[in-house]
Amino acid sequence: MNAPVLAGFTLPETAADGYKEDTEWRGGFTQMASGILARDLLSRSGILAFSLEWKVIDTAAVEIIRNAYTSLVAEDAVFISPFGVSYTVQPRDNSPLSVAWFPTVLGQRANVSLKLRQA
């Protein structure tokens, strides 16, 4: 696996289990009283949702992730996954970037998570 790239910024390598891909469908399903599923989907093809996590990273690495995310807020951006596949993405929800700071003997470190979805 390679380091992911977002909006032209090469991000730090994710934690060992820190890269996930989920498939989402816009719309919904409702089970009727008869047991039949009623579907109200925008599209029959799903879109990918990405979750990236970093553990115990330093301030410089956090700033790279923040700068990449800041570029993404203004407009959709290109995301290159750790597998080298390119996607156009946008923020996944209202709080897609989370930074949890904590002190260590080497100074401040953080655990960071980032959520994206295919545009």
Side-chain angles (χ1 to χ4, degrees), residues 87-99:
Y87 303 94
T88 300
V89 296
Q90 54 192 215
R92 187 168 174 182
D93 55 29
N94 289 333
S95 56
L97 180 63
S98 175
V99 180

Side-chain angles (χ1 to χ4, degrees), residues 56-59 101-110:
V56 196
I57 61 174
D58 63 20
T59 304
W101 291 101
F102 53 91
T104 71
V105 294
L106 299 174
Q108 291 294 317
R109 295 293 186 262

